[in-house]
Amino acid sequence: MIPEHAKRKNEHLSLAEKFYDQTHHQHPFDQVRLLPNALPETAVADVKPAIKIGRLHMQWPFYFEAMTGGSDQAKKVNTALARVAQKTGLAMATGSLSITFKLPQFNDSFKTVRKINPDGIVIANLGANVTVEQAQQAIDLLHADALEIHLNSTQEIVMPEGERSFRWAANIKKLIQHLDVPIIVKEVGFGMTKENLTSLKKLGVSLVNISGRGGTNFVKIEDRRNHDASFADLYQWGLTTPESLFEAQMVKDLTVIASGGITCPLDVIKAGVMGAQAVGVAGYFLHEYYQNGEDGLLQTVLNWQEELKRIMTILGCQHFNDLPQVSHVYGADLQNYIQQQL
């Protein structure tokens, strides 16, 4: 019999795929329009896609954001993702390793990532309530280059077996003080406000992933698993990724990663224009894997890498951190949000 925690991991994977088309019916990045540069004065060969976020040096500005781990099915997915990451030079974050504290028999569903990609950047992932000892255990399991600490109160409050108390700030500060790897504090798809980001900065956080609405919707996923109540009124909860990127522009001295609703290389570019210094992609690549297999995913990543360089070229940008200088305008909905927040 499949343990309950492992069963939940499988349900998350299947429901993420089931709801994929519904989730991307409205695309927040359509609210960001880039103005063309008729005189770019550069060439594709001049584009240098490598980036540095904190102490992490990445070959590409986008990476495999946290998806899964903790079941036999998840091991197959992580193995495929790790092979593609190794072949393309992408960094990769795993799903939450909290299950390894309860069901160590599924450790291999995470360890496969480092085994297949021994020299790549691997990012571990845990909830904000873990102890320093647990966090170090997860880092050691993967020989991880960094640790994501996810903030998922909205997901937990809908989850039938979820947490109902969310006092995380003091523990986040402790983790940052006692762990040697870079710590990325991230949302799971509902965005962060400038007040959230300011509070995190005061705790010593320097790397944040604002992870806005527009990608995998964990309210829908957990509500589908919830047979005792309906949370359909929360399906549009949270800030979109562009809205949250605007919020981040108002907080200085933070390294900002964007994720949530990234579906093409142009979205990666638009996130960079709005200030993201790296971009995580999960749902789109998971969908690509389920639809076209590992070979299809590999070709998609290679296509993204080539298109990314070409778009940067026609914008006149040789480095990803040049993108904020690109002229752009906002659609009515995003502009309305910005005006109300100023």
Side-chain angles (χ1 to χ4, degrees):
M1 180 173 294
I2 300 176
E4 191 62 32
H5 290 282
K7 180 181 177 182
R8 187 172 75 214
K9 299 296 183 180
N10 290 341
E11 289 176 342
H12 283 171
L13 283 171
S14 63
L15 290 171
E17 174 63 12
K18 176 182 177 66
F19 293 138
Y20 179 82
D21 289 334
Q22 298 175 30
T23 300
H24 293 87
H25 180 66
Q26 293 181 324
H27 191 41
F29 277 97
D30 288 344
Q31 290 287 308
V32 183
R33 182 181 174 192
L34 308 184
L35 304 189
N37 182 353
L39 199 65
E41 293 298 300
T42 190
V44 173
D46 297 330
V47 174
K48 304 295 188 292
I51 61 165
K52 181 175 182 292
I53 53 169
R55 288 180 278 155
L56 298 177
H57 294 263
M58 296 184 178
Q59 296 180 42
W60 295 92
F62 67 93
Y63 66 97
F64 286 148
E65 187 50 275
M67 296 188 214
T68 193
S71 71
D72 292 335
Q73 180 182 344
K75 181 179 179 179
K76 294 178 182 178
V77 176
N78 275 343
T79 298
L81 292 170
R83 279 197 289 255
V84 173
Q86 192 276 328
K87 292 174 182 176
T88 59
L90 290 193
M92 176 178 172
T94 71
S96 174
L97 285 105
S98 60
I99 193 172
T100 63
F101 308 138
K102 302 172 183 176
L103 299 172
Q105 65 264 39
F106 291 113
N107 284 8
D108 282 348
S109 68
F110 297 97
K111 291 169 67 176
T112 183
V113 174
R114 179 54 81 191
K115 181 179 179 180
I116 288 170
N117 194 7
D119 301 317
I121 290 180
V122 175
I123 304 170
N125 176 7
L126 286 170
N129 61 347
V130 296
T131 66
V132 172
E133 292 74 21
Q134 288 173 324
Q136 190 61 58
Q137 181 181 329
I139 292 165
D140 292 344
L141 184 71
L142 288 177
H143 302 287
D145 301 283
L147 173 66
E148 285 184 338
I149 296 296
H150 62 257
L151 310 180
N152 67 335
S153 59
T154 304
Q155 178 188 9
E156 291 283 346
I157 213 69
V158 177
M159 188 188 303
E161 69 276 45
E163 296 294 327
R164 299 294 183 259
S165 176
F166 310 105
R167 295 183 175 92
W168 293 333
N171 196 56
I172 290 172
K173 184 175 183 179
K174 184 185 297 185
L175 292 170
I176 290 171
Q177 290 174 339
H178 290 89
L179 297 173
D180 292 331
V181 300
I183 306 296
I184 303 166
V185 177
K186 63 161 291 188
E187 242 289 348
V188 298
F190 305 100
M192 294 187 188
T193 65
K194 60 181 180 295
E195 291 81 9
N196 297 152
L197 295 166
T198 299
S199 296
L200 289 171
K201 182 180 173 182
K202 289 178 181 178
L203 296 175
V205 176
S206 60
L207 294 168
V208 294
N209 183 339
I210 51 88
S211 191
R213 174 167 55 83
T216 303
N217 189 325
F218 279 104
V219 169
K220 282 188 176 182
I221 287 174
E222 299 300 351
D223 196 37
R224 177 64 177 79
R225 299 180 58 251
N226 194 333
H227 304 297
D228 298 323
S230 171
F231 288 84
D233 51 341
L234 297 184
Y235 284 3
Q236 297 300 312
W237 183 264
L239 302 182
T240 68
T241 302
E243 288 169 350
S244 201
L245 280 169
F246 168 74
E247 296 281 325
Q249 291 175 8
M250 295 185 280
V251 183
K252 304 301 182 184
D253 301 320
L254 280 177
T255 297
V256 178
I257 301 168
S259 63
I262 307 296
T263 62
C264 63
L266 184 58
D267 291 346
V268 177
I269 296 288
K270 288 179 177 181
V273 168
M274 291 196 70
Q277 288 145 287
V279 177
V281 187
Y284 182 90
F285 286 145
L286 181 63
H287 178 68
E288 187 67 24
Y289 168 72
Y290 276 131
Q291 293 297 308
N292 299 303
E294 183 179 328
D295 290 342
L297 176 60
L298 172 61
Q299 190 58 55
T300 295
V301 171
L302 293 172
N303 291 345
W304 275 45
Q305 290 175 335
E306 179 60 25
E307 185 180 341
L308 183 90
K309 292 191 295 182
R310 295 190 189 191
I311 297 173
M312 289 178 63
T313 301
I314 62 174
L315 290 172
C317 297
Q318 295 183 11
H319 304 280
F320 196 73
N321 59 11
D322 295 334
L323 288 172
Q325 72 190 24
V326 171
S327 297
H328 57 286
V329 295
Y330 299 133
D333 289 345
L334 181 56
Q335 184 60 34
N336 180 49
Y337 176 86
I338 290 171
Q339 287 176 344
Q340 292 190 54
Q341 290 298 93
L342 290 176

